[in-house]
């Protein structure tokens, strides 16, 4: 027997799911610009494919990054993904041995125990490991069920998982979730009742079957349970494309796009749409997002922001409140480009057709063959102490430099870019870029992390870009500057625009470590000070809460000096923390005298 | 008159029947802190765009309040959204957000 009516719900669901997923994949491919399509076709036969497949196994099945984040959560996701995947693979192998056919209908392995109640040992198995498949199939089922138990615990209280927040779902999500959760218990019961009636089954289904059939009329029950099992599978498959479970196929597509699409892929519509679908709503980002944890807007966190995007709602508040601090992006186990996704959503909300009425840039000095061009940054002009210290450092070092914005400058364009106004930012970029390159310098020194990030990511200058923290460290290493050793209590605030993993951020940490004359640990915060230009939330009301939370994480006392390396951080923290706030350059120069 | 070097200026008063302040009202609703502005001009003193042009955030706000839309549209386009103004405002007005919202006003405001 190879067919029964009850396989229909599953089969219909599966066919529908395949059609929808293939259509989505096709849509993402078609939308790519021709150049990227070419790149993609070109890379299919390269190493990229091997890397992509490895990442799919590592992240899609094993969930390595999620494990690193949170072991329980990692185990839960892995047991579902890997367990289910292996059930399918092993089920296929098993059914092949039983049926002798080369091609089985897709439902056959899924419902094998209904069609074959074979209690004898297969000749093949005798020669290998007796009862291998029966054991392994039951073991895998148990593996998935253990994940399910964890999932139930997580719903009842996320604190079990060390998470402070867990995601909330809408109605369709809940129906899909219920059908997913029912699939495996129903499979267990269907197989157990069948084993209770006809024998067979492994350590789990066989023993459960015996117990159940002793108490219940198994011969009447096993058939309805196969129906229920098939039905829950069908419902889940049909709902999958419209719920967060779309992340299962989308994550695969996202990884492939990442590996095949080349560097320009991150700017394409397909990449954004696919990334948006690839979010599993695991909730890891909720605990990292300061706006969600300490601010006024919990739904700013990517998990909810993406949920709204998927529903076709570009909500202004949550699109604009994000600080673009990137903490969520560093933590996201799927590796979604969350900052760019937010910017992309902002671009949709911003009027693009009104160009910047860009004021004339001050006439630039002629080529002076200097080594270093110093661009303090417009914000740095609001912190004259930093300017003064950097100037002294430059003078003491004896390096030939040109101060490009001694009389001020236009903005680097990053604040503009962060509001979603790409074309206007381009105007500023072009102006500054020309002025910088005209000096012919080899090194560009800047004091503002916002400029630093912008110069590195968007200017394509092909000269070395250095933040003053890095610059001072280099001078200190070359013995061109003497670092003080301090007695006072210090705390370090790393500006988020410095990019937590950049050379400048590392240099800042090293430098501050060298300032201390005793071995005392310096508390450090990588939270955003709340003043980020990435946010378009109301500056002073939101900032206060965020800043207080950030400075509380490193110090509560008034006698602690907070060190930072950003004019905006300095201004913001100074306003909301108890102790004084100083730029690293000030600290170094203050004590040198 | 001519002998004294005086000239009679054209009337520059806002004609309340001619302007529609509803768009400005919606901006006021989004940027609540705007209501607190006392017109001190600190924002104008530090303005990045103002250093190289006639742009002035304080004046731009006035243009908005008075419904001088055509000048407003030209002026507000000069702001670089650098955010320095909001760091110095004694009344905690989020001037940058305000400029962002004024930039967002529908294109119908353009001359
Ligand atoms: S954005 Fe990333 S971390 Fe946040 S819920 Fe989605 S997958 Fe998880
Ligand atoms: S970038 Fe920062 S503020 Fe924005 S969602 Fe991520 S963690 Fe939250
Ligand atoms: S990033 Fe900041 S300091 Fe640098 S130019 Fe832009 S606004 Fe000015
Ligand atoms: S600094 Fe503040 S109070 Fe003063 S004019 Fe500007 S917005 Fe108004
Ligand atoms: S945000 Fe606009 S108005 Fe404010 S200082 Fe910068 S350029 Fe001037």
């Amino acid at each position: 027997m190879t067919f029964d009516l009850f396989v229909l719900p599953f089969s219909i669901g599966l066919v529908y799911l395949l059609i929808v997923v293939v259509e989505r994949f096709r849509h993402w491919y078609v939308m790519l610009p021709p150049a990227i399509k070419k790149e993609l076709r070109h890379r299919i036969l390269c190493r990229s494919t091997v890397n992509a497949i490895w990442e799919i196994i590592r992240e899609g099945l094993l969930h390595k990054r999620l494990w690193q984040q949170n072991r329980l959560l990692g185990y839960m996701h892995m047991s579902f993904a890997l367990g289910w995947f292996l059930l399918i693979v092993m089920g296929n192998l098993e059914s092949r041995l039983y049926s002798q056919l080369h091609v089985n209908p897709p439902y056959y392995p899924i419902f094998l125990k209904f069609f074959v109640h074979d209690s004898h040992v297969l000749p093949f198995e005798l020669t290998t490991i007796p009862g291998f498949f029966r054991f392994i199939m039951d073991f895998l089922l148990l593996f998935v069920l253990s994940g399910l138990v964890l999932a139930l615990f997580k719903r009842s209280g996320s604190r079990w998982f060390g998470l402070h927040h867990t995601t909330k779902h809408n109605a369709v999500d809940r129906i899909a979730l219920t059908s997913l959760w029912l699939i495996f218990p129903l499979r267990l019961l269907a197989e157990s009742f069948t084993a209770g009636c006809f024998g067979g089954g492994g350590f789990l289904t066989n023993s459960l079957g015996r117990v159940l059939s002793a108490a219940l009329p198994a011969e009447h029950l096993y058939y309805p349970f196969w129906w229920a099992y098939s039905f829950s599978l069908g419902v889940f498959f049909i709902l999958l494309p419209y719920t967060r479970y779309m992340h299962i196929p989308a994550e695969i597509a996202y990884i492939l796009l990442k590996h095949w699409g080349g560097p320009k892929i991150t700017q394409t519509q397909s990449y954004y749409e696919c990334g948006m679908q690839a979010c599993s709503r695991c909730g890891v980002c909720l605990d990292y997002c300061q706006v969600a944890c300490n601010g006024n807007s919990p739904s700013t966190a990517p998990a909810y922001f993406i949920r709204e995007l998927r529903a076709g709602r570009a909500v202004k508040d949550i699109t604009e409140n994000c600080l673009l601090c990137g903490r969520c992006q560093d933590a996201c186990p799927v590796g979604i480009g969350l900052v760019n996704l937010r910017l992309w959503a902002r671009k949709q909300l911003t009027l693009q057709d009104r160009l910047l009425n860009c004021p004339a840039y001050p006439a630039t000095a002629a080529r002076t063959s200097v080594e270093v061009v110093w661009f303090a940054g417009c914000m740095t002009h609001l912190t004259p102490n930093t300017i003064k210290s950097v100037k002294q450092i430059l003078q003491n070092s004896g390096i030939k430099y040109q101060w490009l914005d001694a009389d001020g400058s236009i903005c680097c364009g990053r604040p503009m870019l962060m509001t979603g106004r790409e074309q206007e930012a381009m105007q500023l970029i072009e102006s500054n870029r020309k002025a910088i390159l005209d000096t012919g310098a080899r090194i560009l020194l800047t004091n503002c992390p916002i400029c630093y990030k912008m110069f590195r990511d968007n200017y394509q200058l092909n000269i070395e870009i250095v933040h003053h923290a890095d610059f001072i460290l280099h001078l200190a290493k070359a013995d061109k500057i003497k670092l003080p050793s301090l007695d006072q209590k210090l705390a370090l605030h790393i500006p988020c625009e410095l990019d937590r993993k950049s050379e400048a951020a590392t240099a800042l940490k090293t430098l501050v470590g060298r300032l201390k004359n005793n071995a005392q640990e310096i508390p450090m915060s990588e939270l955003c000070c709340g003043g980020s230009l990435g946010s378009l939330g109301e500056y002073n009301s939101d900032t206060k809460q965020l800043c207080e939370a950030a400075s509380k994480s490193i110090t509560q006392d008034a006698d602690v000096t907070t060190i930072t390396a950003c004019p905006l951080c300095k201004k913001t923290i100074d306003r909301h923390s108890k102790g004084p706030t100083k730029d690293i350059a000030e600290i170094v120069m203050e004590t040198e005298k | 008159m001519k002998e004294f070097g005086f000239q009679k200026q054209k009337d520059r008063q806002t004609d309340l029947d001619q302007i529609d302040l509803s768009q400005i009202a919606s901006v006021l609703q989004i940027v609540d802190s705007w209501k607190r502005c006392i017109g001190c001009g600190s924002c104008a003193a530090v303005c990045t765009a103002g250093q190289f042009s006639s742009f002035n955030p304080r004046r731009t706000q006035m243009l908005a309040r008075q419904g001088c839309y055509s000048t407003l549209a030209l002026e507000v386009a000069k702001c670089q959204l650098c955010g320095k103004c909001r760091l110095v405002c004694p009344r905690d007005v989020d001037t940058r957000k305000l400029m962002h919202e004024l930039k967002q006003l529908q294109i119908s405001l353009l001359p």
Side-chain angles (χ1 to χ4, degrees), chain B residues 87-107:
Chain B
L87 288 176
V88 298
C89 175
R91 301 286 291 163
D92 281 357
V93 178
D94 193 341
T95 25
R96 175 173 184 253
K97 188 176 171 63
L98 174 60
M99 292 299 152
H100 165 67
E101 293 300 337
L102 289 178
K103 275 176 187 270
Q104 284 293 92
L105 284 182
Q106 285 314 310
I107 218 74

mmCIF file of all heavy atoms in Angstrom, chain B residues 87-107:
data_model
loop_
_atom_site.group_PDB
_atom_site.id
_atom_site.type_symbol
_atom_site.label_atom_id
_atom_site.label_comp_id
_atom_site.label_asym_id
_atom_site.label_seq_id
_atom_site.Cartn_x
_atom_site.Cartn_y
_atom_site.Cartn_z
ATOM 1 N N LEU B 87 22.888 70.935 20.278
ATOM 2 C CA LEU B 87 23.759 70.794 21.438
ATOM 3 C C LEU B 87 23.857 72.082 22.244
ATOM 4 O O LEU B 87 24.258 72.073 23.399
ATOM 5 C CB LEU B 87 25.164 70.366 20.999
ATOM 6 C CG LEU B 87 25.310 68.927 20.511
ATOM 7 C CD1 LEU B 87 26.720 68.675 20.025
ATOM 8 C CD2 LEU B 87 24.955 67.961 21.620
ATOM 9 N N VAL B 88 23.542 73.198 21.616
ATOM 10 C CA VAL B 88 23.729 74.460 22.323
ATOM 11 C C VAL B 88 22.430 75.124 22.743
ATOM 12 O O VAL B 88 22.441 76.105 23.481
ATOM 13 C CB VAL B 88 24.540 75.466 21.472
ATOM 14 C CG1 VAL B 88 25.927 74.919 21.191
ATOM 15 C CG2 VAL B 88 23.818 75.796 20.176
ATOM 16 N N CYS B 89 21.306 74.611 22.254
ATOM 17 C CA CYS B 89 20.047 75.305 22.528
ATOM 18 C C CYS B 89 19.751 75.341 24.032
ATOM 19 O O CYS B 89 19.687 74.305 24.686
ATOM 20 C CB CYS B 89 18.905 74.615 21.803
ATOM 21 S SG CYS B 89 17.322 75.331 22.212
ATOM 22 N N PRO B 90 19.593 76.510 24.590
ATOM 23 C CA PRO B 90 19.332 76.609 26.030
ATOM 24 C C PRO B 90 17.933 76.116 26.407
ATOM 25 O O PRO B 90 17.655 75.859 27.571
ATOM 26 C CB PRO B 90 19.458 78.108 26.308
ATOM 27 C CG PRO B 90 19.117 78.761 25.016
ATOM 28 C CD PRO B 90 19.639 77.835 23.948
ATOM 29 N N ARG B 91 17.068 75.999 25.413
ATOM 30 C CA ARG B 91 15.697 75.572 25.703
ATOM 31 C C ARG B 91 15.455 74.117 25.288
ATOM 32 O O ARG B 91 14.312 73.683 25.195
ATOM 33 C CB ARG B 91 14.708 76.487 24.966
ATOM 34 C CG ARG B 91 14.832 77.949 25.342
ATOM 35 C CD ARG B 91 14.281 78.242 26.708
ATOM 36 N NE ARG B 91 12.837 78.096 26.720
ATOM 37 C CZ ARG B 91 12.095 77.977 27.811
ATOM 38 N NH1 ARG B 91 12.706 77.975 28.990
ATOM 39 N NH2 ARG B 91 10.809 77.854 27.739
ATOM 40 N N ASP B 92 16.524 73.389 25.004
ATOM 41 C CA ASP B 92 16.402 71.988 24.608
ATOM 42 C C ASP B 92 15.438 71.762 23.445
ATOM 43 O O ASP B 92 14.663 70.812 23.441
ATOM 44 C CB ASP B 92 15.956 71.129 25.798
ATOM 45 C CG ASP B 92 17.113 70.826 26.727
ATOM 46 O OD1 ASP B 92 18.248 71.235 26.389
ATOM 47 O OD2 ASP B 92 16.902 70.193 27.776
ATOM 48 N N VAL B 93 15.497 72.657 22.475
ATOM 49 C CA VAL B 93 14.693 72.430 21.276
ATOM 50 C C VAL B 93 15.474 71.458 20.395
ATOM 51 O O VAL B 93 16.678 71.627 20.205
ATOM 52 C CB VAL B 93 14.477 73.748 20.500
ATOM 53 C CG1 VAL B 93 13.671 73.494 19.232
ATOM 54 C CG2 VAL B 93 13.789 74.773 21.375
ATOM 55 N N ASP B 94 14.808 70.438 19.873
ATOM 56 C CA ASP B 94 15.528 69.541 18.967
ATOM 57 C C ASP B 94 15.506 70.155 17.573
ATOM 58 O O ASP B 94 14.704 69.791 16.717
ATOM 59 C CB ASP B 94 14.923 68.144 18.965
ATOM 60 C CG ASP B 94 15.844 67.147 18.290
ATOM 61 O OD1 ASP B 94 16.739 67.598 17.538
ATOM 62 O OD2 ASP B 94 15.690 65.941 18.506
ATOM 63 N N THR B 95 16.408 71.091 17.379
ATOM 64 C CA THR B 95 16.434 71.841 16.124
ATOM 65 C C THR B 95 16.723 70.949 14.926
ATOM 66 O O THR B 95 16.210 71.177 13.841
ATOM 67 C CB THR B 95 17.499 72.937 16.205
ATOM 68 O OG1 THR B 95 18.467 72.536 17.152
ATOM 69 C CG2 THR B 95 16.897 74.244 16.640
ATOM 70 N N ARG B 96 17.550 69.933 15.130
ATOM 71 C CA ARG B 96 17.888 69.079 13.986
ATOM 72 C C ARG B 96 16.649 68.318 13.510
ATOM 73 O O ARG B 96 16.364 68.252 12.321
ATOM 74 C CB ARG B 96 18.985 68.091 14.370
ATOM 75 C CG ARG B 96 19.302 67.100 13.287
ATOM 76 C CD ARG B 96 20.497 66.258 13.663
ATOM 77 N NE ARG B 96 20.873 65.360 12.603
ATOM 78 C CZ ARG B 96 20.663 64.048 12.625
ATOM 79 N NH1 ARG B 96 20.061 63.500 13.653
ATOM 80 N NH2 ARG B 96 21.059 63.288 11.635
ATOM 81 N N LYS B 97 15.921 67.773 14.469
ATOM 82 C CA LYS B 97 14.694 67.066 14.101
ATOM 83 C C LYS B 97 13.719 68.034 13.424
ATOM 84 O O LYS B 97 13.054 67.686 12.463
ATOM 85 C CB LYS B 97 14.060 66.451 15.347
ATOM 86 C CG LYS B 97 12.885 65.537 15.058
ATOM 87 C CD LYS B 97 12.392 64.910 16.345
ATOM 88 C CE LYS B 97 11.087 64.158 16.159
ATOM 89 N NZ LYS B 97 11.184 63.025 15.250
ATOM 90 N N LEU B 98 13.698 69.246 13.935
ATOM 91 C CA LEU B 98 12.810 70.245 13.351
ATOM 92 C C LEU B 98 13.183 70.505 11.888
ATOM 93 O O LEU B 98 12.312 70.524 11.004
ATOM 94 C CB LEU B 98 12.905 71.544 14.166
ATOM 95 C CG LEU B 98 12.156 72.736 13.618
ATOM 96 C CD1 LEU B 98 10.673 72.448 13.511
ATOM 97 C CD2 LEU B 98 12.377 73.958 14.500
ATOM 98 N N MET B 99 14.484 70.681 11.640
ATOM 99 C CA MET B 99 14.920 70.918 10.265
ATOM 100 C C MET B 99 14.587 69.718 9.383
ATOM 101 O O MET B 99 14.168 69.861 8.249
ATOM 102 C CB MET B 99 16.438 71.187 10.221
ATOM 103 C CG MET B 99 16.851 72.486 10.874
ATOM 104 S SD MET B 99 16.101 73.920 10.068
ATOM 105 C CE MET B 99 16.051 75.061 11.430
ATOM 106 N N HIS B 100 14.770 68.526 9.946
ATOM 107 C CA HIS B 100 14.446 67.305 9.199
ATOM 108 C C HIS B 100 12.970 67.296 8.811
ATOM 109 O O HIS B 100 12.609 67.018 7.667
ATOM 110 C CB HIS B 100 14.801 66.087 10.055
ATOM 111 C CG HIS B 100 14.222 64.783 9.589
ATOM 112 N ND1 HIS B 100 14.615 64.193 8.411
ATOM 113 C CD2 HIS B 100 13.286 63.964 10.126
ATOM 114 C CE1 HIS B 100 13.941 63.069 8.248
ATOM 115 N NE2 HIS B 100 13.127 62.905 9.277
ATOM 116 N N GLU B 101 12.123 67.651 9.768
ATOM 117 C CA GLU B 101 10.688 67.646 9.477
ATOM 118 C C GLU B 101 10.315 68.764 8.496
ATOM 119 O O GLU B 101 9.444 68.586 7.654
ATOM 120 C CB GLU B 101 9.864 67.764 10.767
ATOM 121 C CG GLU B 101 9.965 66.562 11.689
ATOM 122 C CD GLU B 101 9.482 65.259 11.043
ATOM 123 O OE1 GLU B 101 8.688 65.320 10.083
ATOM 124 O OE2 GLU B 101 9.922 64.187 11.500
ATOM 125 N N LEU B 102 10.977 69.897 8.622
ATOM 126 C CA LEU B 102 10.678 70.988 7.684
ATOM 127 C C LEU B 102 11.110 70.596 6.271
ATOM 128 O O LEU B 102 10.451 70.922 5.293
ATOM 129 C CB LEU B 102 11.372 72.284 8.115
ATOM 130 C CG LEU B 102 10.813 72.971 9.364
ATOM 131 C CD1 LEU B 102 11.627 74.219 9.707
ATOM 132 C CD2 LEU B 102 9.345 73.341 9.208
ATOM 133 N N LYS B 103 12.235 69.872 6.192
ATOM 134 C CA LYS B 103 12.670 69.384 4.879
ATOM 135 C C LYS B 103 11.648 68.412 4.301
ATOM 136 O O LYS B 103 11.532 68.263 3.094
ATOM 137 C CB LYS B 103 14.013 68.641 5.002
ATOM 138 C CG LYS B 103 15.253 69.530 4.956
ATOM 139 C CD LYS B 103 16.484 68.655 5.187
ATOM 140 C CE LYS B 103 17.757 69.441 5.338
ATOM 141 N NZ LYS B 103 18.449 69.664 4.072
ATOM 142 N N GLN B 104 10.948 67.717 5.216
ATOM 143 C CA GLN B 104 10.004 66.700 4.784
ATOM 144 C C GLN B 104 8.666 67.280 4.306
ATOM 145 O O GLN B 104 7.852 66.542 3.793
ATOM 146 C CB GLN B 104 9.698 65.743 5.942
ATOM 147 C CG GLN B 104 10.756 64.756 6.252
ATOM 148 C CD GLN B 104 10.917 63.756 5.133
ATOM 149 O OE1 GLN B 104 11.725 63.964 4.238
ATOM 150 N NE2 GLN B 104 10.153 62.694 5.154
ATOM 151 N N LEU B 105 8.449 68.551 4.552
ATOM 152 C CA LEU B 105 7.157 69.137 4.184
ATOM 153 C C LEU B 105 6.886 68.920 2.703
ATOM 154 O O LEU B 105 7.798 68.940 1.887
ATOM 155 C CB LEU B 105 7.139 70.631 4.482
ATOM 156 C CG LEU B 105 6.977 71.011 5.945
ATOM 157 C CD1 LEU B 105 6.925 72.515 6.085
ATOM 158 C CD2 LEU B 105 5.713 70.384 6.517
ATOM 159 N N GLN B 106 5.649 68.717 2.402
ATOM 160 C CA GLN B 106 5.305 68.355 1.033
ATOM 161 C C GLN B 106 5.822 69.374 0.038
ATOM 162 O O GLN B 106 5.937 70.570 0.305
ATOM 163 C CB GLN B 106 3.793 68.173 0.886
ATOM 164 C CG GLN B 106 3.309 66.887 1.485
ATOM 165 C CD GLN B 106 4.185 65.702 1.096
ATOM 166 O OE1 GLN B 106 4.470 65.509 -0.074
ATOM 167 N NE2 GLN B 106 4.639 64.936 2.076
ATOM 168 N N ILE B 107 6.117 68.890 -1.124
ATOM 169 C CA ILE B 107 6.741 69.665 -2.174
ATOM 170 C C ILE B 107 5.851 70.840 -2.611
ATOM 171 O O ILE B 107 6.305 71.811 -3.182
ATOM 172 C CB ILE B 107 7.081 68.726 -3.355
ATOM 173 C CG1 ILE B 107 8.404 69.111 -3.968
ATOM 174 C CG2 ILE B 107 5.996 68.623 -4.383
ATOM 175 C CD1 ILE B 107 9.575 68.722 -3.127
#
